[in-house]
Amino acid sequence: MRRSLRSWLWRVPVDQEVDEELAFHLEMRVRDLIAGGMDPDQARRVARARLGDIDVVRRTLVDLSHKRDREMRVMQWIDEFRHDVVFALRQMRSNPAFTFVAVLTLALGIGANAAIFGLADATLLRPLPFTEPDRVVRLFEVNSAGQRTAVSPMNLADFTTDSRTLLPGAGFLPGVGGMVMKGVDGTSETVARQWVSSRFFEVLGVPALVGRMFEPGDDWVNGNAVVLSEPYWRTRFNGDPSVVGQSLVLDGEPYVVTGVAPASFRWNAPASIWALVQVRPSPELRDQYFWRGLARLAPGATIDAARAETSAIAAELARTIPANKGRTVAIEPVRESLVGTDLRMTSLLFLGVVGFVLLICCTNVANLLLARATARGRELAIRSALGAGRARVVRQLITESLVLAVLGGLLGVGIGAAILAAAPSMVPAGVLPPAITLAFDGRVVAFCAAASIVVGLLFGMVPAWQVGDLSSARAIAEDSRTSTGRGGRLRGILVGGEVATAVLLLVGAGLLLRTLLAVENVDRGYRAGEILTMVVDPLASEYPTNDALVQFYDRVAEEVSGGPGVAAVAWASTLPLGSSMAGQVSFEIVGEPPVDVPQQPRADRQVVSWSYFETLDLPIVDGRAFTSRDTGESPGVCVINEAFAARYFRGTSPIGQRLSLRQGGNTRQPPVLREIVGVARQVKGRPDETSELLQVYVPMTQDGLDDIYLLVRPATGSAGALASVVKAAIGRVDTKQLVSVGTPRTLDDVAHEATSAHRFRAVLVVAFAGLALLLAMVGVFGILAYSVQQRTADFAVRRAMGATSRDVLRLVAGSAARVVASGAALGLLAAMAASRVLTAVLFGVEPLDPLTFGLVGGVLALTAAVAVAGPAWRAARVDPAQVLRGR
Amino acid sequence: MAGSPKSPNALLHGALDALILKVLSRGPSHGYAVARFIEEATGDALLVEEGSLYPALYRLERRGWVEAEWGTSELGRRAKLYRLTAAGRTQLDQEVATWRQFSTGVSKVLFAS
């Protein structure tokens, strides 16, 4: 190699070399032939003839030479690269502290990015777990008020059955409820069930693992049918294929198992069984909007074409069918509705935040390298003086950076894998739909590899650039103890940038934290402390009338209130900050001009027992609460909430006014007339709602519901402790074990869950911003400690010339303060410009919240003071006599 | 080429490489000297096609079995000199062994009585 390198460096052009060699050969041959007695002319001819076609030979040789040179260059490059890597590793071993800090910093940055990439990949990029997910769309109806609603079975059929752009559609109900399954041994268990339509699996393209999936017609030909999920099938039925075709008794009725869905299929909520809703097409279903619509685009059709076609169908339906008046349709890709704007926004936010953290990591490592490069200035200068060439030195520096980055990346992969392994328990329930899975896989590893290379080049560029114009003579001549200049200024700029980035993230974290505090401290309306709650779902077939149902509820309430430590018991269809199970009513105020039903305003229907207001200590601000005398036989009554009263009875008392209510805007049944007897204090439906919820409370005795929350207030102590008491009491009433009882929770749990997305965002961003601040301060400390060390002599001279230690302190702290302050100012300005992007996830705080900006400034000043204190103190304590003697 | 009658002294495939390596194992020499040596040593029994000698030399160089350097010929002319490398020496040993095995095998059959 060594010798060929030399010949390669001062070689003659390849073709000239070949010509010369062939000429030499001919000349020698001719000479020998002549010596053998041939005449010169003939000798020349014979010599040429023996060589064959000289042009061909020549071309072959030139070609071979070129190939050889190319290979040699590659070999040489690889050789040098290997040499650089070995050199870099040796350098790293000889400086373990530097290596440790740099690799750890990079590993943290890359690891955090890998984990967040895992989340973003799952929510934004990775295909959903069913066939050609990009071809599946969600269908919505849009009511006359412009709100998206579910679709009715009849409209869904009209939109998709004869469509050119959509294949026949399907529906599902979003929630997962419990079904009671009775075992042969007399025990019963609650199974998580989701209702779907017969084409649900066909639209999503989910093949059966065992048996078959639902088929069109199953829903009214074969009776009740269910599909089992694979995990449930494996745990409950030991993976026995003969379960297909058998009947399970669910909620007291037989359901035939048609098949098993593979575990890879996951939808919006965790279900153990999918059950078919019995829907026989009929005109009455025209305005029953309950399906969440799904359809698959027809081969070759685009989503825009499907939008155009369904809109035309909807317009036609609106013209010809009264119930459809004013209704239109909307279509969006299934990922958008499954992932949701909120989650998408969160993923992008996190991605941005960790990206900045990685940038700070890079900057810190670049700074470390810069400081070292300055110290290594002489070494590098000598290398280049020995003929290494600037490009060669730069390549070596970048190789060193890449080696660091690759080590950091390897460790980062480990950190990312660990975070992702722990993530499912850290991510609050409900934030991620089951169709989105966090997984550590090849994609995350590929991301880490790419991140390492980019990061290595990024921070490797800085010292390489600084060395780029290094003047060898000057660097060698200079005393290595004195050096600042360009390297120092560059380091100052980098640290300023780090501070600015940290400030930007801190402002974001502060705003999200303020949002979290706002939603947590939102006035829930009720005053009771701890309340235990659980869903109670009796079988409709066991309690066919509302009176029978209410009697059952009363008996349970009686039994529970007799239990030890129970202060009050109530029933309600909706929990404060929880989801509603009773839907909405459209209403008219009796005596005001009539309005068509589709155009009527709507309010949340809240079915409660008369004890509800007392149990929750929810104040009645006007009129009265329900009493035990409001029964099924007495006149219809209702209680409205404050927002309702303020909006529709401005200034006047609503007490005594009557409302005409229609359940879900249903036009076929006559409206129910109810007198307003009271106004209840406002209760929040969601912690971050921006328009106040309108609610109409209806007594349970007058409007039943077979799926309702039991609420229990303890006399003293913790509500959670009552769970077993309450379950035992229900068991005493429900001797046949036909009632499904949900998991007991407290209202605080419900509130906690309602704020979990905010908490998840705030906690994560605060953690990352904290990390960013720490890294930035390490940067400030590093640059200051280094410059103090470099300027020890300078300080000694100043002290010898009469400067006090306070002067030196001021000098050092002042230079640090300039870097930090300009970085902070820049960061605050950037935050002002950027905080607007957070608007969608903020609540109860302005993007330009002065308190947040002020606090961030304060936190920064404090931490910067801590970072600066050490080096500044050391500078102030320089003993001039000792230092100058040392010189 | 296929189908054309084989001249009795045509070189077997790969044999030229072995011959070149063998020649160079005696010391560095230029291309012409290699050609001459083979002619003389085999008494012109094996006619080296000169047009394929140089490509063979270049290929051997590419594989790292020989090295080339410009030097001075025995007559004081500038000439490209080829030298066997350590890898080339190993290769030669291998070729010799292979050749011996091959020729013993063939001889056993051809000269069997």
Side-chain angles (χ1 to χ4, degrees), chain A residues 456-475:
Chain A
L457 289 178
L458 212 60
F459 68 71
M461 219 78 97
V462 175
W465 175 64
Q466 195 208 0
V467 156
D469 72 343
L470 130 156
S471 139
S472 328
R474 202 189 68 205

Side-chain angles (χ1 to χ4, degrees), chain A residues 661-676:
Chain A
L661 302 166
R662 281 176 195 274
Q663 172 70 43
N666 190 329
T667 50
R668 269 180 321 284
Q669 280 160 13
V672 181
L673 288 183
R674 294 189 183 278
E675 181 183 330
I676 299 172

Side-chain angles (χ1 to χ4, degrees), chain A residues 21 25 27 29 32 71, chain B residues 32 50 54 62 77 82:
Chain A
E21 186 172 22
H25 178 97
E27 194 185 321
R29 172 71 74 194
D32 282 1
E71 277 165 12
Chain B
Y32 181 70
E50 285 170 16
Y54 283 94
R62 230 179 114 197
R77 279 274 278 110
Y82 295 89

Side-chain angles (χ1 to χ4, degrees), chain A residues 545-551 554 624 627-637 672-675 698-704:
Chain A
T545 65
N546 194 39
D547 282 348
L549 205 55
V550 170
Q551 266 172 31
D554 280 347
R624 67 168 175 92
T627 70
S628 55
R629 287 179 303 282
D630 294 314
T631 65
E633 284 75 44
S634 65
V637 291
V672 181
L673 288 183
R674 294 189 183 278
E675 181 183 330
V698 174
M700 186 171 73
T701 48
Q702 297 180 351
D703 194 356

Side-chain angles (χ1 to χ4, degrees), chain A residues 3 61 87 129 188 224 245 305 348 362 434 449 457 510 518 561 581 596 622 742 816 820 824 845 848:
Chain A
R3 218 181 50 80
L61 294 185
F87 185 77
S188 65
N224 296 328
L348 288 174
C362 282
L457 289 178
S561 18
M581 292 208 262
D596 276 356
D622 195 3
V820 173
V845 58
L848 295 180

Side-chain angles (χ1 to χ4, degrees), chain A residues 1 3-4 6-7 12 16-18 20-33 47 50-52 57 60-62 64-65 67-68 71, chain B residues 30-32 35-36 39 44 47-59 61-63 67-70 73-75 77-80 82-83:
Chain A
M1 209 72 229
R3 218 181 50 80
S4 7
R6 196 177 57 191
S7 66
V12 282
Q16 203 176 315
E17 200 179 65
V18 168
E20 196 176 343
E21 186 172 22
L22 291 177
F24 174 76
H25 178 97
L26 288 173
E27 194 185 321
M28 295 297 284
R29 172 71 74 194
V30 168
R31 227 183 48 144
D32 282 1
L33 289 175
R50 290 192 65 165
L51 206 50
V57 173
T60 312
L61 294 185
V62 169
L64 282 168
S65 301
K67 275 188 190 148
R68 178 200 59 200
E71 277 165 12
Chain B
H30 49 77
Y32 181 70
R36 288 289 298 159
E39 282 162 29
D44 281 342
L47 186 65
V48 174
E49 176 100 40
E50 285 170 16
S52 52
L53 173 71
Y54 283 94
L57 273 168
Y58 274 48
R59 265 192 295 276
E61 189 194 354
R62 230 179 114 197
R63 300 180 121 174
E67 283 176 343
E69 194 177 11
W70 285 91
S73 77
E74 60 276 13
L75 296 169
R77 279 274 278 110
R78 212 169 100 80
K80 196 173 172 193
Y82 295 89
R83 176 204 315 270

